[in-house]
Amino acid sequence: MEEHLGIIEPLELTKLKERAINMQKNTDTLRKYILESSYIVFFGGAGVSTESGIPDFRSVDGLYNQQYKHPPETILSRRFFMSNTDEFYEFYRNKLLCLDAQPNKAHIKLAELEKSGKLKAVITQNIDGLHQKAGSKNVLELHGSVYSNFCVKCGLNHDVSLIKNCEGVPHCKCGGVIKPDVVLFGETLNEHTINSAFRHISNADLLIIGGTSLGVYPAAGLIDYYQGNKLVLINKSSTHVDRKANLVINESIGKVFENCLQ
């Protein structure tokens, strides 16, 4: 048994060393890309926020792999919101209102990169507002934000604290139901936001995609508008777009940015 362990240990150590070498090589390349570029765009998904403790949908511990009376995709649909508003809000408050979550290294480093003038836009599929909390200014929220809520009857805007603290379905003073300004399944993306995303990706000389499997459309289709030759994918698992990328880094996005943007 000791002899067997003696064989395994060096092999594992070798793998760790190889991973560290690859990580250094990849971050050096990303750093070089950033130095050479003047119009950087970041496109991010749920994996950017999981490092802040916010659950995603498709990972092993994601919402799709937890047991609910209805699938999350059903609960977070416009039809379900209209017909089962109580149950929608029970799930929404418990799973999507993560107001105490704090930005991680990825959010912070992206905000710093924007301040340097190189990063022109953050395009995010997330609704948690962590990019803004970290200091980013030009954030395009494809799926809306938990911090924006409106009355479906009179259109009056309401603070997220009302949603968080009330019981049952939140109502406006006019009596109308308050709806989070997030894009539910069955709803279309905001036209102005999607057009701005098109424009920024088309103009980018460096496009960094992070924390997304690129499986959610139409948002994932945005990267088809990239015309440059520095496409970087940072995700813990592989994606169907890896073969198109100039650089693929299968690591924690927070770790990558912390090592690269020092």
Side-chain angles (χ1 to χ4, degrees):
M1 186 66 175
E2 289 179 3
E3 189 176 31
H4 178 67
L5 289 174
I7 294 172
I8 294 295
E9 204 169 280
L11 289 175
E12 292 301 319
L13 189 59
T14 299
K15 289 180 181 178
L16 288 173
K17 287 181 178 178
E18 289 177 352
R19 182 175 176 180
I21 291 171
N22 287 334
M23 177 70 162
Q24 186 62 54
K25 179 182 176 182
N26 287 334
T27 53
D28 286 347
T29 301
L30 179 55
R31 189 180 297 111
K32 178 176 178 289
Y33 282 176
I34 291 172
L35 288 172
E36 294 172 346
S37 303
S38 58
Y39 202 119
I40 302 171
V41 173
F42 177 79
F43 180 97
V48 179
S49 293
T50 52
E51 294 177 35
S52 292
I54 296 178
D56 64 1
F57 275 73
R58 292 171 174 80
S59 68
V60 174
D61 298 319
L63 297 179
Y64 280 158
N65 292 309
Q66 298 178 27
Q67 297 299 314
Y68 301 104
K69 187 177 177 181
H70 302 280
E73 189 169 318
T74 298
I75 299 173
L76 296 175
S77 68
R78 179 171 181 81
R79 178 177 293 181
F80 196 88
F81 173 81
M82 299 299 292
S83 61
N84 301 73
T85 315
D86 275 308
E87 196 169 345
F88 168 89
Y89 265 113
E90 182 181 358
F91 179 88
Y92 182 79
R93 287 193 186 94
N94 289 337
K95 298 299 178 182
L96 297 187
L97 279 189
C98 305
L99 304 184
D100 294 329
Q102 296 300 315
N104 58 56
K105 290 292 184 182
H107 298 107
I108 293 167
K109 292 298 181 179
L110 285 167
E112 292 175 358
L113 191 59
E114 183 188 63
K115 287 179 182 177
S116 75
K118 284 181 171 286
L119 181 66
K120 304 303 182 183
V122 169
I123 303 168
T124 180
Q125 295 172 286
N126 299 330
I127 60 175
D128 49 51
L130 289 179
H131 285 292
Q132 292 92 328
K133 193 178 284 190
S136 291
K137 304 297 182 186
N138 193 20
V139 181
L140 302 177
E141 296 171 307
L142 296 176
H143 296 151
S145 171
V146 298
Y147 289 95
S148 178
N149 305 275
F150 66 94
C151 173
V152 298
K153 184 177 179 181
C154 72
L156 185 67
N157 291 323
H158 293 272
D159 191 82
V160 68
S161 61
L162 174 62
I163 310 295
K164 181 72 174 178
N165 298 325
C166 78
E167 294 184 7
V169 178
H171 287 85
C172 177
K173 58 185 179 182
C174 76
V177 173
I178 299 171
K179 179 185 179 297
D181 195 7
V182 299
V183 179
L184 302 176
F185 291 99
E187 296 181 332
T188 58
L189 302 185
N190 180 276
E191 185 176 355
H192 174 73
T193 303
I194 204 80
N195 286 338
S196 295
F198 285 147
R199 178 173 56 82
H200 281 296
I201 289 177
S202 298
N203 291 331
D205 51 11
L206 168 58
L207 176 60
I208 304 173
I209 301 172
T212 174
S213 61
L214 294 170
V216 178
Y217 286 83
L222 284 169
I223 67 167
D224 294 336
Y225 290 82
Y226 178 60
Q227 303 175 52
N229 60 359
K230 293 193 285 290
L231 175 60
V232 178
L233 294 181
I234 307 171
N235 199 50
K236 288 183 178 180
S237 58
S238 60
T239 77
H240 68 280
V241 187
D242 286 7
R243 58 187 174 81
K244 297 181 180 180
N246 303 98
L247 177 63
V248 176
I249 308 178
N250 294 133
E251 285 283 358
S252 154
I253 188 168
K255 183 188 295 184
V256 171
F257 277 126
E258 185 176 17
N259 290 345
C260 179
L261 301 173
Q262 295 179 348

